[in-house]
Amino acid sequence: MTDGKSMLGKIVKVTVDRPMGSFHPKHQNLYYPVNYGYIEGIPAPDGEEQDVYILGVDRPVKEFTGRIIAVVRRSDDVEEKWVAAPEDMSFTREQIQEQIFFQEQYFQSEIILLDERERQE
């Protein structure tokens, strides 16, 4: 398992298994307004590969390479989600919350941003 905070600012390659505009395979009412995928080879606490929300890409994609800009730490789940964006883009906490609300509304979570990493350590 890799700690998300240590990945903030790192460039990653995300394999998209739930492209923008798709629905969750098990929860048919969960619509994905953003691309969502995983990082191959980085295990998450749930035993699957690390999940990543992709912001700043306005069309469905199969793969994405970008920078980890935030970590979504869930207090009521074993997982944390990472947030990636193109290298030249940044988002505020409010912008991130708004874009990932479709799924995070079901969890108690906090967003740790890249520029806050140093202040929290």
Side-chain angles (χ1 to χ4, degrees):
M1 262 178 342
T2 302
D3 177 51
K5 278 188 3 186
S6 69
M7 290 298 292
L8 285 167
K10 301 271 192 297
I11 303 300
V12 296
K13 180 180 171 189
V14 181
T15 300
V16 176
D17 58 352
R18 296 182 198 156
M20 170 187 283
S22 67
F23 288 86
H24 191 286
K26 293 181 185 152
H27 308 284
Q28 290 299 314
N29 61 339
L30 184 56
Y31 172 81
Y32 283 81
V34 299
N35 289 291
Y36 181 85
Y38 60 92
I39 301 173
E40 210 169 299
I42 298 184
D46 66 353
E48 301 289 326
E49 290 172 302
Q50 179 62 53
D51 293 325
V52 181
Y53 293 107
I54 300 168
L55 305 186
V57 177
D58 60 1
R59 60 184 167 70
V61 295
K62 292 182 181 184
E63 285 185 349
F64 172 79
T65 299
R67 182 181 307 278
I68 299 295
I69 61 165
V71 173
V72 181
R73 194 150 288 152
R74 293 175 171 176
S75 59
D76 56 352
D77 190 24
V78 298
E79 283 191 273
E80 64 181 21
K81 305 291 183 181
W82 297 355
V83 181
E87 286 185 62
D88 61 347
M89 293 182 97
S90 62
F91 293 88
T92 65
R93 175 177 279 108
E94 291 73 27
Q95 289 170 321
I96 294 170
Q97 281 174 327
E98 191 176 291
Q99 293 185 63
I100 66 174
F101 181 78
F102 73 97
Q103 183 161 261
E104 291 305 316
Q105 65 183 315
Y106 303 110
F107 300 93
Q108 293 294 317
S109 59
E110 68 167 327
I111 297 173
I112 300 165
L113 296 173
L114 176 59
D115 62 348
E116 295 175 331
R117 175 181 47 187
E118 296 80 20
R119 285 182 269 161
Q120 292 194 357
E121 290 179 349

